[in-house]
Amino acid sequence: MNLTDLLAAAPEMTLLGLICVVLVADLFVEEERRVITFWLTMVSLAITAWAVFETAPVGRVLIFDGSYVSDALSQVLKIGVIAAVAVTFLYSRDYLRANDLHKGEFYLLGLFGVLGMMVMISANSLLTMYMGMETLALSLYALVAIDRTNVTSAESAMKYFVLGAIASGCLLYGISWIYGATGTIEFHQLADRIASDPSVNNLALWFGLAFLLVGIAFKFGAVPFHMWVPDVYQGARSPVTLYLGSAPKIAALALTLRILVDGFGGLYGVWSDMVMVVAVLSLVLGNLIAIVQSNIKRMLAYSTIGHVGFILLSIFTGTEQGYAAALFYTLTYVISAVGAFGMIILLSRRGYEAENLSDFKGLNARSPWFAIIMMFMMFSMAGIPPFIGFFGKLNSIDAVLTEGYTGLAILMVLASVVGAYYYLRVIWYMYFEEPADQAVLLTSTDTRLVMSLNGVAVLALGLLPGWLWTLCLQVLHGH
Amino acid sequence: MDFSANLLSILIWLPIFGGFALLAIGDDGDAASSKAGIMRLIALATSMLVLLISVGLYRDFDSTTASMQFVERISWVTAIDAWYYLGVDGISAPLILLTTFITPLVVIAGWDTIKSRPAQYFAAFLILEGLMIGVFCALDGLLFYVFWEFMLVPMFLIIGAWGGDRRIYATIKFFLYTFLGSVLMLVAFIYLYVQTGSYDLAGWMDAPLGMTTQKLIFIAFLLAFAVKVPMWPVHTWLPDAHVEAPTGGSVILAAIMLKMGGYGFIRLSLPIVPDGSEYFASLMIALSLIAVVYIGFVALMQTDMKKLIAYSSIAHMGFVTLGFFLLWKIDGDSGAALGMSGGMVQMVSHGLISGALFLCVGVLYDRVHSRQIADYGGVANTMPTFSALFVLFAMANAGLPGTSGFVGEFMVIIASFKANFWFAFFAATIMVLGAAYTLWMVKRVIYGDIANDDVAELSDLNRREFIVLGVLAISVLLVGLWPAPLIDMMNATIDQLVERVGLSKL
């Protein structure tokens, strides 16, 4: 171990140190001044983001004997995770305070989750990956159950934990097979082994790979490993749903890209068909089942499954363009998802969860500004130009068509049309119905401001998507 | 001031920013408040300003050339070679002028009939205007698609928020129908992009494409444009949307949004996939004639005035597609050009007439709150001025010589005679059927004895309504009596188009 090793892993170490500081500080903060923990958390995230910027490597740096990697991709993903979580915390604060859930644990578990995601993003070996994933998963299990007196939360936490444990088991099992077949767990060595020694490419390796894919599909919430998604999204308190539905998608993308592309790029022929089946099933089932949901959190959960279909189909192409499209799609999806879930939190108040579609009735009459922002989010997710979600879909379809899969491209656009229906339903409730609930929306200035920026970003990025797409292409160049 | 370098951008963005300004200021939700009054004035001022600027477009338009004019080209998304690329030629210029002409009339028509959230209502129309002009100007496929698709959003809100009883069903149907049509066009666009490496429409027109590819692209385009036109059998969204939309929404829908379909055929389908178009030309002509004859009969049976006009729109738009696809059935370029110009004139004329008819129904609806023909009778006794104008528009819809309705229909019928007697035979039934359903409606609504107390209490047009309908009446007569400026405007472009489409890409 030398100094460069430490420098490349500095963001994670910084964050860990800061978490310890927040952990201790939180002990001495009185109940009514809990907001201090919030601000300490935000400062920690800001410092970590700064550390990510400062330690940006030139090219690709492998450290800790090749089990850890720092490259342009990891920088972009980490910044994405930190930004998404920071916005999540901000949207959550007032809700938590109003519902007597404003505990230091929320922020601390959230920060541990960020640490886990950053480790996942920078992992260059299967075990590092597993370690990051478990750090994230354990934080999430506890977060889902944070309202311990709430029966549904406890139930969904249990469900999430049991299914998550099975997925982790599958992943570990797959890792052991791969280690047995190749004698290594580091991604670049795996890639070398597969390229240089054809005898490695045998059934045992494929068997292990299939189990890894199960783990990936579970983390992404792709069909047929999606059962936990709707229940957990619905059962968790809204801020936790927001957390769960945004940043971990970025981490899941990292997991997929690192394993499938960096590690098993040579076995494209083996995994591509599996990915395609999972992707197509997610695309179709997610969008179809979302239609009949009346709970908006559940609806967004199924819609997420549909979006995962797009992301996985981009990866299925096996081209740099496709990977870049997946990255672009994930980042832009997270921006819209944060806004949409944030709006659910904003509409809720003490003792009242605005989680039914009908709670959005007449939002335009209550608050035209929030209604228009929510409309932007919905149109973005539906893929209507010029919102950013459209360009995500465009790049995905472009990547798929470039490889000549016309049938898949048609399926993707048809799924978008199905998807448009349930997004339109939210807009219909907001604009065409009279409000059922006249309560004034109380929001603090900073939340209002960030929510507005979130809405404007969805439109502005959609009008000028070029730089982000160029960035995604650059970051994935050489993968 | 000289705007000519950015004329098109101003035409697109001025109404859009005007609309967003209205949204930002907002109203108190009360149409009677003074703030709402200011909103109306801003909306009217913006739309009038756009109209004035578009006069500059007409004045500086060079009708001797077929090349693109007022071109603006700025890099937009460099990584995928998409450009902010605008320009107009003889096909798009008349449609832009139609848009800028109709929008202020719609704003005036909604002046005091919109009771709830007037700021949002007018904002939606202004944004819609900018987007529609954008569709007609865009010379980059991606830009075209962005305008094309986003256009659905304001219309979706207009029908859903200010429409009739079944507005939600109608607006969701409208949105999903048209969205379904256009996503396949998007796939075709991306395919063309993958083939040529750019979104430039001119590049697509020059790109060599195989026959199978051309057929598939044609089908993808057909779905998008046929839904918009709308052609039989994908027309079913239109009567619903029209019936439920507020008057202004119906007017814009009939007068301009339907023209997007015709514009798409002539701008994209014909030049990009000429051989595919030729292959499907017979089918297209058959569908157009079915629209004319069958939908004509359907219109005859309607009891709801708005529905009747909606079906009449489908029949008349059948003439547009008929005119465009006669090309391969006629020997000689001049006949083909005649059919195509006829289709274009028909689009402009139908925009004026159908808009006017929907406004007339709106006038009656505001007073009686019914669209049923059976609820009227003898309106001429209480509303003489209105009746005179309504009869004029009805005559124009039936294709009376001297009105704009005659010109386009006559040109297309002549062109179909050159192609095939039976085409002309069926096409000409519109003269009979159109007269039948329109005049029968006029007879039942306008003439006869006063049917009931509602009609007895009707008051004639107020000044605002008179201005709107009067302006439309003048323009219908003007285009009917002196269509030369309109036809001259598009001649050069259409000649070049006919020549280009005649060349096979294979």
Side-chain angles (χ1 to χ4, degrees):
Chain A
M1 193 183 299
N2 55 38
L3 199 62
T4 26
D5 279 15
L6 292 175
L7 199 63
E12 287 77 9
M13 286 186 269
T14 316
L15 181 60
L16 185 60
L18 289 166
I19 291 175
C20 296
V21 173
V22 180
L23 187 62
V24 174
D26 186 56
L27 287 176
F28 298 96
V29 174
E30 289 163 40
E31 192 60 43
E32 60 268 26
R33 314 182 74 181
R34 196 62 72 194
V35 76
I36 293 174
T37 314
F38 167 77
W39 286 115
L40 280 176
T41 309
M42 293 304 250
V43 170
S44 312
L45 287 176
I47 294 174
T48 313
W50 170 78
V52 173
F53 271 117
E54 281 299 302
T55 58
V58 183
R60 197 176 163 84
V61 181
L62 288 180
I63 53 169
F64 300 139
D65 299 324
S67 62
Y68 214 73
V69 61
S70 180
D71 57 9
L73 175 64
S74 68
Q75 308 297 310
V76 170
L77 291 172
K78 282 176 193 171
I79 295 292
V81 164
I82 293 169
V85 171
V87 176
T88 302
F89 285 161
L90 179 65
Y91 288 165
S92 308
R93 187 194 56 202
D94 295 341
Y95 173 97
L96 293 172
R97 218 189 282 167
N99 288 285
D100 302 326
L101 288 168
H102 204 233
K103 305 177 197 147
E105 288 86 341
F106 179 80
Y107 301 115
L108 281 163
L109 288 169
L111 285 178
F112 271 114
V114 174
L115 181 64
M117 288 188 262
M118 287 172 70
V119 172
M120 275 170 88
I121 288 167
S122 272
N124 195 45
S125 91
L126 286 165
L127 278 182
T128 321
M129 180 67 79
Y130 183 75
M131 202 173 70
M133 223 170 71
E134 283 305 284
T135 314
L136 169 66
L138 287 172
S139 315
L140 289 179
Y141 302 148
L143 271 176
V144 173
I146 196 158
D147 185 10
R148 61 193 170 79
T149 53
N150 185 322
V151 182
T152 33
S153 289
E155 185 202 318
S156 54
M158 199 61 205
K159 199 166 199 168
Y160 190 25
F161 176 72
V162 171
L163 290 173
I166 294 173
S168 298
C170 286
L171 207 70
L172 268 184
Y173 189 58
I175 292 172
S176 60
W177 272 88
I178 286 162
Y179 183 66
T182 61
T184 179
I185 49 168
E186 279 161 30
F187 296 145
H188 62 286
Q189 286 182 5
L190 269 172
D192 290 346
R193 224 38 71 88
I194 290 165
S196 60
D197 183 2
S199 67
V200 168
N201 190 357
N202 58 25
L203 196 59
L205 188 62
W206 301 353
F207 193 70
L209 183 58
F211 274 97
L212 286 191
L213 273 171
V214 171
I216 290 174
F218 181 85
K219 289 296 155 194
F220 251 129
V223 179
F225 307 100
H226 66 289
M227 305 78 87
W228 64 275
V229 181
D231 290 339
V232 174
Y233 273 40
Q234 184 185 4
R237 299 303 292 255
S238 299
V240 180
T241 313
L242 166 59
Y243 187 97
L244 206 65
S246 53
K249 300 291 167 215
I250 301 178
L253 177 77
L255 174 79
T256 319
L257 287 178
R258 295 279 187 215
I259 293 183
L260 292 187
V261 181
D262 289 0
F264 290 93
L267 289 185
Y268 172 73
V270 179
W271 58 257
S272 62
D273 288 347
M274 293 194 254
V275 170
M276 187 189 71
V277 171
V278 168
V280 167
L281 284 176
S282 307
L283 191 64
V284 174
L285 282 180
N287 278 311
L288 283 180
I289 302 177
I291 290 180
V292 294
Q293 304 304 322
S294 60
N295 179 299
I296 189 167
K297 281 155 80 178
R298 229 180 150 76
M299 185 202 95
L300 286 175
Y302 280 109
S303 100
T304 306
I305 297 171
H307 288 292
V308 166
F310 267 92
I311 296 170
L312 289 179
L313 275 179
S314 317
I315 292 173
F316 154 74
T317 59
T319 57
E320 266 175 33
Q321 190 197 358
Y323 304 147
L327 175 60
F328 186 92
Y329 200 103
T330 311
L331 292 176
T332 53
Y333 167 74
V334 166
I335 297 175
S336 324
V338 163
F341 284 115
M343 198 62 78
I344 298 175
I345 299 177
L346 238 63
L347 291 187
S348 308
R349 52 177 188 276
R350 188 178 175 80
Y352 177 76
E353 294 271 308
E355 57 176 13
N356 286 316
L357 268 174
S358 52
D359 293 323
F360 279 80
K361 272 189 183 169
L363 184 61
N364 180 41
R366 292 166 67 194
S367 169
W369 180 237
F370 283 141
I372 209 167
I373 289 176
M374 188 64 177
M375 180 165 76
F376 284 5
M377 301 301 164
M378 291 295 112
F379 277 132
S380 174
M381 288 193 183
I384 305 290
F387 301 103
I388 185 65
F390 165 70
F391 284 94
K393 290 201 161 66
L394 180 80
N395 289 330
S396 264
I397 297 170
D398 187 358
V400 168
L401 267 183
T402 306
E403 292 304 298
Y405 302 107
T406 316
L408 280 180
I410 291 174
L411 185 73
M412 287 159 100
V413 294
L414 292 182
S416 316
V417 176
V418 175
Y421 172 73
Y422 53 81
Y423 295 122
L424 286 182
R425 212 152 60 129
V426 178
I427 297 166
W428 137 21
Y429 279 129
M430 291 194 301
Y431 279 85
F432 309 156
E433 302 272 350
E434 292 305 316
D437 171 9
Q438 293 293 352
V440 180
L441 294 175
L442 297 170
T443 45
S444 46
T445 322
D446 47 2
T447 314
R448 188 176 280 265
L449 183 73
V450 173
M451 182 57 90
S452 307
L453 283 177
N454 199 337
V456 172
V458 166
L459 180 62
L461 276 174
L463 291 174
L464 296 169
W467 67 272
L468 188 59
W469 177 233
T470 313
L471 179 74
C472 290
L473 282 171
Q474 278 168 0
V475 158
L476 278 158
H477 188 65
H479 277 271
Chain B
M1 244 198 299
D2 184 28
F3 296 123
S4 53
N6 303 92
L7 188 84
L8 298 179
S9 280
I10 294 172
L11 285 178
I12 293 172
W13 294 104
L14 182 68
I16 292 181
F17 282 122
F20 275 107
L22 286 185
L23 284 183
I25 309 169
D27 53 49
D28 320 321
D30 175 16
S33 71
S34 61
K35 207 173 172 189
I38 297 171
M39 295 298 105
R40 282 192 276 261
L41 280 178
I42 295 178
L44 181 64
T46 314
S47 58
M48 291 303 283
L49 192 60
V50 175
L51 176 62
L52 279 178
I53 295 170
S54 72
V55 172
L57 175 74
Y58 178 73
R59 190 194 59 201
D60 297 340
F61 185 80
D62 178 4
S63 56
T64 57
T65 168
S67 52
M68 288 293 166
Q69 305 177 38
F70 302 96
V71 171
E72 290 174 47
R73 194 160 190 257
I74 307 166
S75 179
W76 177 33
V77 189
T78 330
I80 51 175
D81 201 26
W83 293 73
Y84 177 77
Y85 186 12
L86 305 174
V88 292
D89 61 7
I91 303 171
S92 43
L95 295 171
I96 293 172
L97 294 173
L98 180 69
T99 311
T100 60
F101 175 69
I102 295 286
T103 308
L105 296 179
V106 167
V107 171
I108 301 173
W111 200 256
D112 43 31
T113 56
I114 296 302
K115 304 292 184 208
S116 68
R117 289 171 300 188
Q120 291 186 352
Y121 178 83
F122 292 117
F125 277 101
L126 288 180
I127 293 171
L128 187 57
E129 178 184 22
L131 297 173
M132 292 187 300
I133 296 173
V135 171
F136 292 131
C137 294
L139 296 180
D140 177 279
L142 195 61
L143 189 67
F144 176 88
Y145 188 80
V146 168
F147 283 127
W148 174 275
E149 200 67 79
F150 193 41
M151 198 171 67
L152 295 181
V153 173
M155 191 44 100
F156 170 74
L157 294 173
I158 288 169
I159 300 177
W162 291 278
D165 297 334
R166 287 171 68 243
R167 60 182 195 273
I168 293 170
Y169 167 76
T171 198
I172 297 263
K173 187 172 177 183
F174 157 76
F175 194 100
L176 291 182
Y177 232 106
T178 34
F179 189 45
L180 178 63
S182 38
V183 288
L184 291 172
M185 176 174 81
L186 177 67
V187 175
F189 277 12
I190 299 174
Y191 180 84
L192 284 165
Y193 165 70
V194 171
Q195 297 301 312
T196 63
S198 100
Y199 279 101
D200 188 9
L201 290 186
W204 291 356
M205 291 173 197
D206 296 332
L209 296 164
M211 193 59 194
T212 321
T213 316
Q214 287 205 29
K215 282 186 203 166
L216 290 174
I217 293 179
F218 184 85
I219 292 172
F221 284 171
L222 174 65
L223 283 170
F225 303 142
V227 168
K228 267 273 170 20
V229 164
M231 297 178 76
W232 183 87
V234 288
H235 64 280
T236 60
W237 63 271
L238 184 79
D240 284 314
H242 266 316
V243 168
E244 299 306 328
T247 305
S250 292
V251 173
I252 291 287
L253 200 56
I256 305 159
M257 284 184 92
L258 302 191
K259 309 301 171 286
M260 302 287 170
Y263 178 74
F265 278 123
I266 203 168
R267 170 69 77 220
L268 297 169
S269 296
L270 295 182
I272 293 175
V273 284
D275 305 291
S277 307
E278 181 176 6
Y279 181 82
F280 285 105
S282 303
L283 174 74
M284 296 298 293
I285 291 173
L287 291 179
S288 308
L289 290 174
I290 291 175
V292 170
V293 179
Y294 167 69
I295 300 291
F297 279 113
V298 174
L300 206 50
M301 294 310 299
Q302 298 307 314
T303 54
D304 179 311
M305 285 190 276
K306 268 189 150 178
K307 236 179 184 155
L308 191 149
I309 302 168
Y311 279 112
S312 139
S313 290
I314 302 169
H316 282 92
M317 289 305 287
F319 255 70
V320 175
T321 42
L322 177 66
F324 290 168
F325 283 90
L326 279 175
L327 183 82
W328 291 278
K329 307 290 172 189
I330 302 178
D331 296 328
D333 282 355
S334 65
L338 183 67
M340 222 173 258
S341 317
M344 280 297 298
V345 174
Q346 174 76 351
M347 288 217 276
V348 174
S349 145
H350 176 259
L352 300 171
I353 297 170
S354 65
L357 284 172
F358 278 117
L359 284 167
C360 287
V361 177
V363 166
L364 288 177
Y365 184 79
D366 289 340
R367 288 167 170 71
V368 182
H369 297 287
S370 166
R371 296 179 301 257
Q372 298 300 316
I373 295 175
D375 288 343
Y376 295 92
V379 171
N381 297 307
T382 43
M383 299 178 74
T385 322
F386 168 76
S387 300
L389 288 167
F390 190 36
V391 170
L392 170 72
F393 295 130
M395 292 293 185
N397 199 41
L400 185 79
T403 62
S404 65
F406 175 73
V407 183
E409 285 174 17
F410 190 67
M411 288 165 82
V412 175
I413 290 175
I414 295 280
S416 23
F417 253 117
K418 291 189 181 176
N420 183 320
F421 168 75
W422 290 105
F423 292 170
F425 175 80
F426 285 115
T429 57
I430 200 169
M431 294 290 186
V432 183
L433 285 172
Y437 55 72
T438 326
L439 298 182
W440 192 29
M441 173 181 77
V442 167
K443 176 195 162 272
R444 286 178 290 170
V445 172
I446 301 290
Y447 297 119
D449 295 329
I450 292 177
N452 53 39
D453 294 346
D454 284 335
V455 175
E457 286 165 15
L458 284 176
S459 53
D460 210 344
L461 296 176
N462 62 30
R463 203 171 55 190
R464 179 180 57 78
E465 291 162 341
F466 182 72
I467 291 173
V468 174
L469 292 178
V471 168
L472 278 168
I474 293 169
S475 49
V476 165
L477 289 173
L478 200 64
V479 175
L481 294 171
W482 192 40
L486 178 63
I487 296 172
D488 288 345
M489 206 169 176
M490 48 186 126
N491 258 346
T493 312
I494 285 188
D495 286 343
Q496 193 219 29
L497 183 72
V498 168
E499 199 176 317
R500 174 190 281 279
V501 176
L503 300 172
S504 170
K505 272 190 170 187
L506 297 174

